[in-house]
Amino acid sequence: MAGRADPPDGTSDGGPDGGNGGDDEYRSLVFDESFVNAAHLQEFSAQERLQDEEHAAVRARPEAERHGRTGLGFSRQGLVLVLLTALAFGTAIYMGIRNPYRSPVRAGAEPLHSEILPLAPTAPVPGSTPADLFDNSPADRFATGADGVALPPVRSSDHFSESQVLAALTMAKEYVVESSLDPKVLTGGTVRPVRVLLNPRQQNQFDRSVEKPRSDGRHAATAWMVRFDRGKAALASPKVRVDGTLAVQEVGDGLEVTADHVFVYALRPAGAKKGEEARKSASLFSVRREVHFRFEREDLRERQVTVRQVAMRAGPMNCGGDSAEALTPLLAGERAKDAGKAGTDPFERGRSAASACGLLAASAQPSPDHPSRPSR
């Protein structure tokens, strides 16, 4: 009787293994799961063949069965590829963090340095209407408001285009106008129009200057903007007379702009009632303000201002007062308590004074004897 492994008619005489058939030479082969799953054809089961005799012996296996999908619809090979990519990306980030040759972090903007010199009058402060005061003073020839902050002819520099130079001058003018001519800034009502123009790296210094002003050359609120003690003075006229220049030059890898202007304000006592008598109690207050700006390429792109230095002379004021928080002007009929030691005329740009206080030259004040001209 034939054994379980023997064919019905016995072993083949021509078998290569002497009667064991040709199966033994394949017994060492092992078909793992991946090999079986990768097969393109699959034999129908006996049950399937009994149910439909016309079934073919084999069928093509669907793609999903051959590759084996995960619950999320990804093949195992795809999942492995995603994991390897994530590992490589994570390694790259880690090496970047650990890289000892990282680019240096850009330092913060240079802090503002300021100098404020009060000017004391040698005689009582003249008083009259704003129109008469302007007409009888050197400010008679000045422009009004932003018209006095005129741009110079614009030309390209060695490494900056004409449009970049124009952008630097325009931003410097905007800062001068907002910090010296805005009525709400002048009366202490707001600081935002000035703050929003600044380089963000200077805004902390600006905030400290406003919240806790000090006369230390770095934290005077009046260095960033002109503003008056609202408890003592108010604007007698919104029209401010202005005269000065804007100049630009390329220095290093940036542009430096210098704004040098004289501003003349008509002020009145804060508590004075409106009317003709109040108008006659007006007096002039002069500020010569020199502001140095620095514009890097990033500043030009972001339209932000970096203020490096401010030198200011202002009067009529008392010499001994603290002008870090607000300027406290002497008004019509008032005298200075201390006339100081040095004479300085704020209308003469280009001068500087190292003393703690200066004299307000008589030529800077309206002359009562000067014939009045028609108001503008």
Side-chain angles (χ1 to χ4, degrees):
M1 190 173 180
R4 294 180 60 186
D6 296 333
D9 296 330
T11 58
S12 173
D13 293 337
D17 54 355
N20 290 331
D23 294 337
D24 285 345
E25 66 176 295
Y26 300 106
R27 288 177 181 173
S28 61
L29 296 177
V30 178
F31 301 103
D32 61 13
E33 183 181 359
S34 63
F35 180 85
V36 174
N37 288 337
H40 290 266
L41 300 176
Q42 182 183 38
E43 184 180 6
F44 282 104
S45 68
Q47 182 68 30
E48 289 173 325
R49 290 197 298 271
L50 288 175
Q51 292 175 353
D52 188 355
E53 295 180 354
E54 295 184 2
H55 266 308
V58 295
R59 63 175 175 179
R61 301 187 67 206
E63 188 75 13
E65 290 184 15
R66 291 191 288 111
H67 294 289
R69 300 289 181 176
T70 65
L72 295 176
F74 296 102
S75 66
R76 293 187 180 91
Q77 292 89 338
L79 182 60
V80 171
L81 181 61
V82 170
L83 291 175
L84 289 176
T85 303
L87 179 62
F89 186 69
T91 302
I93 293 177
Y94 175 78
M95 294 301 294
I97 295 175
R98 300 277 296 183
N99 182 11
Y101 304 104
R102 286 182 295 172
S103 300
V105 178
R106 184 179 176 183
E110 182 179 346
L112 166 69
H113 297 269
S114 63
E115 170 190 306
I116 301 175
L117 181 71
L119 302 177
T122 56
V125 178
S128 185
T129 64
D132 287 342
L133 292 171
F134 282 131
D135 286 344
N136 297 325
S137 77
D140 175 54
R141 67 180 186 274
F142 291 1
T144 301
D147 292 341
V149 189
L151 298 182
V154 178
R155 301 181 182 85
S156 61
S157 65
D158 291 341
H159 301 96
F160 290 87
S161 66
E162 183 176 322
S163 62
Q164 289 174 316
V165 174
L166 177 61
L169 287 167
T170 302
M171 287 187 284
K173 173 178 178 175
E174 184 177 5
Y175 184 90
V176 171
V177 170
E178 294 296 342
S179 63
S180 308
L181 298 175
D182 187 324
K184 292 184 179 179
V185 172
L186 295 175
T187 56
T190 182
V191 300
R192 188 177 185 279
V194 179
R195 187 182 189 276
V196 296
L197 298 176
L198 290 172
N199 186 318
R201 295 189 298 274
Q202 278 197 320
Q203 288 180 354
N204 286 337
Q205 184 186 7
F206 177 87
D207 292 340
R208 291 194 298 271
S209 301
V210 172
E211 294 166 4
K212 295 182 179 180
R214 302 190 303 275
S215 298
D216 59 358
R218 293 197 178 190
H219 298 96
T222 47
W224 299 96
M225 56 198 159
V226 177
R227 65 175 182 173
F228 302 107
D229 183 349
R230 64 167 66 186
K232 180 172 183 180
L235 292 175
S237 171
K239 297 180 179 180
V240 181
R241 299 297 178 91
V242 186
D243 184 56
T245 60
L246 281 168
V248 61
Q249 62 178 336
E250 181 178 330
V251 178
D253 57 353
L255 293 172
E256 293 191 358
V257 177
T258 300
D260 187 0
H261 294 85
V262 174
F263 304 89
V264 183
Y265 307 89
L267 303 178
R268 61 176 175 82
K273 296 180 180 180
K274 295 182 179 180
E276 185 63 24
E277 290 302 319
R279 293 180 67 250
K280 290 182 178 180
S281 66
S283 60
L284 296 187
F285 188 88
S286 305
V287 175
R288 181 259 168 137
R289 194 165 182 240
E290 185 175 330
V291 185
H292 296 266
F293 303 92
R294 170 78 178 180
F295 294 93
E296 306 288 347
R297 294 184 184 275
E298 179 184 351
D299 297 324
L300 297 174
R301 288 194 302 269
E302 300 297 330
R303 297 196 60 81
Q304 59 194 20
V305 171
T306 298
V307 185
R308 299 186 64 182
Q309 187 174 0
V310 174
M312 189 165 74
R313 298 198 293 270
M317 294 175 61
N318 282 315
C319 288
D322 186 357
S323 57
E325 181 176 1
L327 301 175
T328 305
L330 293 173
L331 301 175
E334 295 182 332
R335 291 176 174 270
K337 296 178 181 178
D338 184 353
K341 298 179 180 180
T344 306
D345 185 347
F347 290 87
E348 295 183 15
R349 294 187 309 275
R351 272 184 170 181
S352 62
S355 63
C357 186
L359 291 178
L360 183 63
S363 60
Q365 290 291 297
S367 172
D369 299 328
H370 194 289
S372 178
R373 287 187 284 270
S375 301
R376 296 184 178 183

